[in-house]
């Protein structure tokens, strides 16, 4: 990839401010980042588009250019024209060479590559987009639109790009009934009630969005329960999805169940070495290609979390992968075989058992045994998309095998789109991590690009989880989808750059807005890590339930293997070679050496690799326990900052967007406190070591519901106990209930926080009264997980600047509804900051 400014021809340097906004109404690609608002400025070149070719992807490119220019400048360009009028020329490199022989194009452009530069043929200036193929033309067109929307076109610029890796796919975990596993944005855009949806307009919009950042494949269905997708009826329906995406060059791929020959094919076996099974897959693949000639291939989850696999027949993942690969090869399809294979019934009493080891233990011995069109797809870390994990050692363990890295755009373990967590900084750390395979520089980004070990295929795959609610449910979460595409195209981009680009295109080009949103995005992952599970403890969330709120012991004493092994003395999992599970030894020697010892393991991963006492001193000089306290207080304070930072954008951005995100950030501020208090009170109790700053276990102004005068409310134990203040709450089994406290502080203005549980299955109502006078009333109408009071649904309502004097009566009234018992944890009264 090269970008240089060689010569200056075209007049106007473009720098403009746009007061943009998200498109209202229907769900479109414009809503995510292709809207661009209006620059209201002068276009940099005459708005005549000269199309040199008429292949489908070239036509799409021209349409996108027209839409993009219209969005940017408020008027459509003229199409057609000749070299004398052209402002923007669009064509393949061959077409451009023929039409502009004097132009100095690169001698070779790969099919997905493009060149954008300038021509002054016959004294007429033009910006020229030349693609290595029609696909390159499309990517080049989107790149020019992005350039115009973010910085404007600088005369003299040439852009010459080609993607770093060939596989740039998203995986959707959509089920035939329209539900989405780990999706947080409503129902499927593809399926409903066991069928393909009639209206596939959203699918086309999605393909536009994906192509605009260079994503070239969508695996449309869940890796779990995939067999229904291979029935003849379904395949005919899938053709319609492939047709809807094809104009943007996005290929359809499918997750398959390796037991399909038995489950839907009527064979007595699915043994990968059985000739009848082979014949079945070949016929099935041919049936698919008859409908979908550019079909991308299969993704496979096998022998994992209850999915059937080759192990049932004593066969290996290579046997299963090659079975499918051989069937696909003649048609140009590939197999993405997931390395997410592990035993979820592991023995937690065995100090040597370690789920982190599984992928390497199973796949490393198979290196070199996979067919050339197989790509082993490995999650970025060895466990499962936690807030922080080390890089999977398998990337260095497969040198004769194509590899792809899998990551999650859908925020399964990182706040489920209710929390602002921009993941690009985390992915970037993984991409840049140098595994030092063979004592050479082998950063993950070069391994998966096929460069380090000279592999023909490789790439990046994101589990996206888009749905019918504004793609990802939450506006700022779309920065993650955007960043994924940009990094898969060019892993050398910086997360800040990407955040700023996305903000400029989506929210506003106002420099202060760009700076504020970029800063918020960049702070969000560290903040989340701080208030959930720092030091490599993993997320500390409810791993046997929602994967959302805190539940620290849910990781322990079960076979799932996400253990952090906290006890009274210390915390962390010993994965060293000398005294632990040996996992650290799966890395190449230089890296293994770093992780082997507590002295060299970086603080942020200490507890992933070592079990240490709470009094152990980190490199930072702080003890582990004090770090746990401090990071949680810091993280919650950082989360509160987001709401204040966002408040500075009022009046500068689209008001609807402003309010939507503001409400989300207020919620996040409250939920970060739930997290903080749960983890802090848990470790305070377990370790018995006080917080040297005196915060843990002391909550000034907090009045517990269980200590109130209760009418109707009954005291309950909350499970897990750390999810409620003091482990207890009150729940209403009557038509209405009340909790009352008399207040004994100094007179003044106070903020009153009410911590309540907003359960699904009903909309409870609450009222706060002071001396019988209603101060605030609200409905508990959010959609949150868990059907009992839990950290998943513990929610904070803040009423600002209430006048109080000694002896005032504070009363919360709760009216349950359906399955929501208006449960209450506490209220907290704190001085209102003078504003
Ligand atoms: O993270 C876990 C998820 C499962 C998922 C699995 C996987 C599709 O909790 O929902 O199943 O990973 O990646 O296969």
């Amino acid at each position: 990839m090269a970008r240089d400014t060689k010569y200056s021809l075209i007049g106007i340097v473009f720098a403009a401010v746009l007061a943009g906004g998200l498109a209202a109404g229907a769900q479109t690609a414009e809503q995510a980042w292709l809207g661009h608002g209006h620059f209201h400025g002068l276009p940099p070149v005459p708005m005549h588009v000269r199309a040199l070719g008429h292949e489908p992807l070239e036509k799409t490119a021209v349409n996108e250019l027209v839409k993009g220019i219209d969005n940017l400048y408020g008027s459509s360009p003229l199409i057609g024209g000749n070299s004398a009028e052209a402002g923007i020329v669009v064509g393949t490199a061959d077409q451009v060479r023929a039409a502009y022989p004097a132009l100095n194009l690169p001698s070779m452009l790969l099919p997905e590559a493009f060149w954008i530069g300038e021509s002054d043929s016959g004294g007429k200036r033009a910006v020229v987009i030349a693609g290595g193929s029609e696909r390159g033309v499309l990517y080049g067109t989107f790149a020019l639109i992005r350039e115009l929307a973010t910085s404007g076109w600088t005369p003299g610029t040439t852009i010459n790009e080609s993607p770093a890796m060939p596989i740039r796919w998203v995986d959707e975990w959509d089920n035939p009934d329209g539900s989405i596993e780990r999706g947080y944005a409503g129902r499927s855009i593809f399926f409903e009630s066991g069928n393909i949806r009639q209206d596939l307009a959203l699918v086309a919009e999605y393909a536009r969005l994906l192509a605009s950042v260079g994503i070239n494949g969508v695996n449309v269905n869940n890796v779990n329960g995939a067999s229904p997708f291979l029935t003849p009826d379904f395949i005919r329906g899938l053709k319609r999805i492939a047709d809807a995406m094809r104009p943007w060059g996005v290929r359809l791929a499918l997750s398959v169940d390796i037991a399909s020959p038995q489950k839907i094919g009527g064979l007595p076996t699915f043994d990968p070495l059985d000739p009848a099974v082979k014949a079945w897959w070949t016929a099935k693949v041919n049936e698919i290609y008859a409908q979908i000639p550019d079909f991308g291939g299969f993704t496979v989850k096998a022998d994992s979390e209850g999915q059937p696999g080759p192990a049932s027949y004593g066969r290996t993942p290579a046997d299963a992968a090659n079975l499918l690969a051989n069937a696909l090869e003649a048609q140009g399809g590939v197999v993405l075989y997931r390395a997410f294979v592990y035993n979820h019934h592991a023995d937690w009493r065995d100090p040597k058992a370690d789920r982190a080891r599984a992928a390497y233990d199973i796949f490393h011995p198979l290196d070199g045994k996979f067919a050339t069109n197989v790509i082993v797809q490995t999650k970025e870390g060895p466990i499962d998309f936690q807030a922080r994990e080390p890089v999977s050692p398998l990337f260095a363990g497969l040198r004769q095998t194509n590899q792809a890295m899998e990551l999650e755009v859908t925020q399964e373990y990182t706040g489920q789109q209710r929390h602002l967590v921009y993941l690009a900084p985390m992915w970037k750390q993984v991409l840049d991590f140098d595994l030092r395979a063979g004592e050479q520089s082998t950063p993950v980004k070069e391994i998966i690009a096929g460069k380090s070990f000279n592999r023909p295929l490789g790439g990046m795959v994101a589990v996206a989880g888009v749905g019918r609610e504004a793609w990802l449910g939450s506006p700022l979460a779309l920065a993650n989808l955007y960043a994924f595409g940009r990094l898969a195209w060019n892993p050398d981009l910086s997360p800040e750059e990407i955040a700023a680009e996305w903000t400029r295109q989506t929210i506003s080009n106002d420099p202060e807005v760009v700076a504020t949103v970029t800063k918020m995005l960049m702070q969000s992952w560290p903040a989340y890590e701080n208030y959930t599970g720092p030091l490599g403890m993993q997320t500390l969330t409810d791993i046997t339930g929602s994967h959302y709120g805190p539940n620290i012991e849910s990781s322990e004493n079960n076979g799932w293997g996400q253990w952090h092994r906290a006890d009274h003395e210390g915390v962390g999992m010993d994965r060293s070679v000398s005294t632990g599970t040996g996992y650290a030894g799966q890395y190449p020697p230089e890296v293994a050496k770093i992780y082997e010892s507590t002295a060299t393991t970086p603080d942020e991963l200490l507890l992933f690799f070592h079990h240490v006492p709470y009094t152990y001193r980190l490199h930072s000089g702080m003890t582990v326990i004090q770090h746990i306290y401090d990071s949680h207080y810091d993280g919650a304070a950082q989360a509160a900052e987001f709401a204040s930072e966002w408040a500075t954008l009022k009046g500068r951005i689209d008001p609807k967007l402003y309010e939507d995100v503001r409400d989300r950030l207020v919620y996040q501020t409250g939920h970060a406190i739930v997290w903080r208090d749960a983890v802090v009170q848990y470790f305070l109790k377990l370790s018995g070591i006080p917080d040297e700053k005196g915060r843990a276990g002391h909550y000034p102004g907090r009045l517990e519901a269980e200590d109130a005068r209760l009418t109707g409310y009954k005291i309950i134990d909350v499970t897990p106990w750390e999810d409620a203040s003091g482990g207890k709450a009150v729940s209403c089994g009557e038509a209405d209930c009340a909790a009352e406290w008399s207040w004994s502080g100094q007179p003044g203005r106070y903020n009153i926080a009410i911590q309540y549980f907003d359960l699904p299955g009903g909309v409870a109502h609450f009222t706060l009264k002071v001396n019988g006078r209603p101060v605030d009333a609200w409905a508990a109408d959010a959609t949150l997980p868990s059907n009992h009071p839990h950290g998943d649904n513990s929610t904070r309502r803040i009423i600002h600047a209430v006048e109080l004097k000694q002896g005032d009566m504070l009363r919360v009234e709760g009216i349950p509804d359906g399955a929501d018992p208006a449960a209450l944890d506490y209220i907290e009264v704190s001085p209102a900051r003078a504003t």
Side-chain angles (χ1 to χ4, degrees):
M1 238 155 289
R3 161 176 301 222
D4 46 281
T5 303
K6 278 192 199 143
Y7 49 93
S8 175
L9 276 178
I10 294 180
I12 306 154
V13 177
F14 219 71
V17 170
L18 103 123
L22 302 185
Q27 184 169 318
T28 64
E30 265 76 10
Q31 187 182 36
W33 57 79
L34 286 179
H36 308 315
H38 291 281
F39 269 104
H40 297 305
L42 287 175
V45 286
M47 287 295 110
H48 285 220
V49 174
R50 183 179 183 202
L52 300 179
H54 303 286
E55 291 301 314
L57 292 184
E58 291 177 293
K59 283 191 183 149
T60 305
V62 170
N63 287 340
E64 291 295 343
L65 196 54
V66 170
K67 281 190 194 167
I69 285 172
D70 196 12
N71 284 336
L72 282 167
Y73 307 111
S75 70
S76 294
L78 299 171
I79 312 276
N82 49 42
S83 59
E85 305 169 327
I88 301 178
V89 177
V90 183
T92 61
D94 290 344
Q95 291 160 348
V96 170
R97 277 191 199 99
Y100 296 82
L103 203 57
N104 196 12
L105 287 187
S107 54
M108 226 267 297
L109 280 180
L110 292 169
E112 294 193 306
F114 60 81
W115 177 93
I116 307 174
E118 294 168 353
S119 151
D120 67 346
S121 152
K124 198 73 197 168
R125 298 170 302 179
V127 173
V128 178
I129 304 168
S133 71
E134 291 79 18
R135 188 181 280 275
V137 173
L138 181 60
Y139 295 149
T141 302
F142 277 120
L144 178 63
I145 296 170
R146 179 166 55 242
E147 197 72 11
L148 293 172
T150 52
S151 50
W153 178 258
T154 308
T157 305
T158 61
I159 304 174
N160 183 1
E161 291 191 8
S162 88
M165 44 193 104
I167 302 281
R168 304 180 304 279
W169 287 15
V170 284
D171 281 4
E172 310 296 336
W173 286 347
D174 293 28
N175 298 312
D177 67 1
S179 62
I180 304 176
E181 182 149 350
R182 309 300 173 191
Y184 310 102
R187 297 182 65 76
S188 171
I189 64 170
F190 303 104
F191 313 117
E192 193 59 70
S193 314
N195 284 308
I196 282 74
R197 294 183 73 215
Q198 265 320 309
D199 180 358
L200 295 179
L202 285 186
V203 173
E205 285 296 304
Y206 190 37
R208 286 184 68 201
L209 204 50
L210 296 176
S212 76
V213 286
I215 295 169
N216 57 11
V218 182
N219 194 94
V220 292
N221 63 314
N222 193 352
V223 287
N224 292 330
S227 61
F229 290 85
L230 290 182
T231 57
D233 269 358
F234 227 105
I235 291 172
R236 278 191 293 275
L238 290 166
K239 171 191 187 319
R240 292 180 42 239
I241 296 181
D243 291 346
M245 300 197 297
R246 189 170 297 110
W248 288 271
V250 178
R251 295 167 86 182
L252 179 133
L254 276 183
S255 297
V256 293
D257 180 338
I258 200 75
S260 300
Q262 194 180 60
K263 285 188 181 163
I264 61 161
L267 297 188
T269 176
F270 62 92
D271 179 351
L273 300 191
D274 185 289
V277 169
K278 286 188 186 179
W280 188 88
W281 280 109
T282 304
K284 190 48 79 181
V285 163
N286 292 339
E287 184 186 337
I288 294 173
Y289 277 91
Q291 300 286 333
I292 308 171
D294 55 354
F295 180 67
F298 293 147
T299 300
V300 188
K301 173 177 182 178
D303 288 321
S304 168
E305 299 183 335
Q307 296 304 304
S312 307
Y313 299 93
R315 312 295 185 205
T316 68
D319 295 328
N322 294 345
L323 162 78
L324 303 175
N326 294 338
L328 287 161
E329 197 190 359
Q331 314 269 17
V334 295
V335 176
L336 278 296
Y337 200 97
R338 298 177 83 224
F340 188 65
V341 181
Y342 71 101
N343 169 17
H344 68 281
H345 298 290
D347 182 0
W348 63 94
R349 287 152 306 200
D350 175 1
K352 297 286 174 197
D354 186 0
R355 167 172 166 185
R357 292 187 57 118
Y360 188 97
D361 281 346
I362 296 167
F363 283 82
H364 171 67
L366 301 174
D367 192 19
K369 301 214 164 75
F370 291 95
T372 49
N373 56 334
V374 173
I375 298 141
V376 170
Q377 178 171 317
T378 305
K379 292 189 183 186
E380 11 106 7
I383 299 284
D384 197 5
F385 304 131
Q386 301 301 292
R388 179 176 307 257
E389 293 182 44
V391 166
S392 171
L394 185 59
F395 293 120
L398 295 177
R399 305 191 191 176
Q400 299 162 63
T401 304
N402 305 316
Q403 299 200 67
M405 173 166 84
E406 179 178 315
L407 46 83
E408 261 188 343
V409 159
T410 194
Q411 293 172 234
E412 176 183 1
Y413 284 97
T414 50
Q416 303 190 351
Q417 276 103 288
R418 296 184 191 94
H419 290 231
L420 172 66
V421 183
Y422 175 55
L423 292 160
M426 175 168 108
W427 301 335
K428 180 68 174 164
Q429 282 191 8
V430 176
L431 287 163
D432 287 348
F433 189 85
D434 188 352
L435 279 157
R436 304 289 307 158
E439 265 110 68
Q440 308 283 316
S441 163
T442 52
V444 172
K445 62 187 172 194
E446 288 181 12
I447 296 176
I448 58 177
K451 283 190 204 157
S452 302
F453 309 130
N454 200 18
R455 300 299 314 166
L457 282 174
M460 267 165 82
V461 177
V463 181
V466 301
R468 277 156 33 202
E469 285 171 16
W471 302 114
L472 285 174
S474 164
L476 299 190
L478 279 159
N480 284 326
L481 184 59
Y482 182 83
F484 162 70
R486 298 291 286 138
L487 284 172
W489 183 273
N490 179 4
D492 292 327
L493 291 174
S494 81
E496 289 98 322
E497 237 176 300
I498 297 173
E501 257 184 21
W502 177 81
T503 306
R504 285 178 190 284
Q505 292 171 84
T506 312
I507 301 179
S508 167
N509 230 339
D510 171 343
E512 281 188 41
V513 175
V514 175
T516 303
V517 177
T518 303
K519 182 168 167 229
M520 289 171 62
L521 290 171
M522 290 304 294
Q523 288 168 334
S524 59
W525 169 54
Y528 187 81
E529 183 186 17
N530 276 343
Y531 64 73
T532 58
L535 300 176
M537 272 191 273
Q538 303 168 59
T539 312
L540 302 182
T541 187
D542 194 334
I543 71 137
T544 50
S546 61
H547 298 187
Y548 182 57
N551 186 352
I552 298 162
E553 284 173 15
S554 67
S555 315
E556 299 303 304
N557 303 326
N558 59 46
W560 291 97
Q562 288 186 221
W563 312 317
H564 48 75
R565 303 222 189 268
D567 59 23
H568 294 287
E569 307 292 325
V571 54
M573 175 99 182
D574 185 354
R575 294 187 157 105
S576 67
V577 175
S578 51
T579 54
T581 68
Y583 166 79
Q586 292 184 335
Y587 290 90
E590 290 176 53
V591 177
K593 200 167 158 230
I594 293 171
Y595 291 146
E596 179 64 18
S597 145
T598 51
T600 45
T601 302
D603 286 349
E604 73 256 16
L605 285 171
L606 180 73
L607 304 180
F608 195 90
F609 283 99
H610 300 282
H611 185 85
V612 297
Y614 291 111
T615 50
Y616 179 86
R617 283 211 181 267
L618 299 165
H619 298 297
S620 68
M622 209 181 291
T623 61
V624 164
I625 190 69
Q626 195 56 42
H627 181 97
I628 293 174
Y629 298 144
D630 286 359
S631 59
H632 284 83
Y633 278 91
D634 291 351
Q638 284 162 347
E641 272 294 297
F642 300 149
S644 321
E645 287 169 4
W646 187 256
T648 66
L649 304 184
K650 190 170 184 189
R652 307 184 85 120
I653 62 173
D654 176 74
K656 274 210 189 84
L657 172 71
Y658 174 78
E659 281 163 28
D660 181 4
V661 174
R662 177 201 58 199
D663 293 351
R664 291 168 189 280
L665 294 172
V666 166
Y667 166 78
Q668 182 177 359
T669 304
H671 203 232
I673 292 172
V674 173
W675 265 102
R676 177 196 78 188
D677 290 356
V679 177
V680 162
Q681 72 171 341
Y682 179 89
F683 282 99
L684 176 65
K685 191 164 182 177
L686 196 64
S687 71
I689 302 174
D691 170 10
E692 58 187 39
K693 297 186 184 145
R695 298 155 304 184
H698 300 106
Y699 305 101
R702 191 172 286 191
L703 302 168
E704 297 289 345
E706 57 271 28
D707 299 334
R709 270 183 306 284
L710 301 175
T711 313
Y713 269 126
K714 296 276 172 298
I715 298 174
I716 56 162
D717 287 323
V718 168
T719 309
W721 68 270
E722 69 271 19
D723 283 9
S725 186
K728 293 194 189 302
V730 300
S731 175
C732 183
E734 328 251 319
D736 55 72
C737 296
E740 221 173 50
W741 304 260
S742 62
W743 195 70
S744 57
Q746 296 298 311
R749 282 153 81 86
Y750 290 88
N751 295 338
I752 305 178
I754 288 113
Q755 197 72 35
Y756 63 101
F757 297 93
D758 188 342
L759 267 62
V763 177
H765 284 82
F766 291 92
T767 307
L768 171 73
K769 291 183 176 168
V770 176
N771 297 331
R773 183 178 56 87
V775 174
D776 191 26
W778 68 98
D781 57 0
T783 310
L784 296 163
S786 262
N787 53 16
H788 61 278
H790 187 284
D792 282 348
N793 46 50
S794 180
T795 306
R796 179 170 271 233
R797 172 92 178 177
I798 300 192
I799 298 119
H800 291 274
V802 182
E803 292 286 350
L804 292 180
K805 58 183 185 326
Q806 206 166 31
D808 276 352
M809 203 57 78
L810 300 174
R811 180 182 165 95
V812 175
E813 295 174 355
I815 304 176
D817 177 54
D820 184 346
L824 189 64
D825 191 356
Y826 61 84
I827 66 170
E828 197 169 87
V829 183
S830 54
R833 265 189 276 149
T835 45

